[in-house]
Amino acid sequence: MKVTIVGNKDECLGFSLAGALPQIVNSEDEFISDMEKLLKDTEIGIIIVVDRYFEMYSKHFTSETKKRALPAIVFVPSIDKQYLKRDLKGFLANVLGIKL
């Protein structure tokens, strides 16, 4: 199973160093077309998406991905923090359900 990250060049860099395949997008249209391709790829097990695309994802792909387990979609905070109103520590605490 492959892991891929969808975001801008800077956001993809760190994840690519950890082994995730970078999918660099610079616009909402690119995001939609690239996500359609990624969701059809049977080798991808996890798609990491920066949170600036959460609303776009919800609008176009939620109904399709609710019906299947793979690929798993994980949203992470963007570098500029303008979309998620808390820091990474707070985000992880919420996801894990524990205080850090």
Side-chain angles (χ1 to χ4, degrees):
M1 293 256 154
K2 296 179 183 178
V3 177
T4 188
I5 171 76
V6 179
N8 66 29
K9 184 179 177 182
D10 294 333
E11 292 161 336
C12 290
L13 179 62
F15 285 94
S16 65
L17 293 173
L21 302 171
Q23 188 69 42
I24 298 171
V25 295
N26 296 309
S27 70
E28 293 179 352
D29 292 334
E30 280 184 42
F31 172 75
I32 292 170
S33 66
D34 288 356
M35 280 299 293
E36 288 172 348
K37 293 174 191 170
L38 293 172
L39 290 171
K40 290 177 184 174
D41 189 340
T42 57
E43 293 186 17
I44 295 178
I46 300 172
I47 301 173
I48 304 166
V49 182
V50 295
D51 62 350
R52 86 170 47 86
Y53 297 112
F54 179 76
E55 289 182 29
M56 185 71 50
Y57 172 83
S58 297
K59 182 177 177 183
H60 293 278
F61 302 107
T62 299
S63 61
E64 179 183 339
T65 56
K66 271 187 189 179
K67 300 173 186 172
R68 55 187 174 160
L70 292 176
I73 311 296
V74 179
F75 289 91
V76 295
S78 60
I79 288 177
D80 54 13
K81 295 185 194 178
Q82 67 185 13
Y83 303 96
L84 189 63
K85 300 301 181 196
R86 57 184 174 244
D87 62 356
L88 184 57
K89 182 178 175 182
F91 176 76
L92 290 174
N94 188 41
V95 169
L96 299 173
I98 58 174
K99 276 190 163 184
L100 296 176

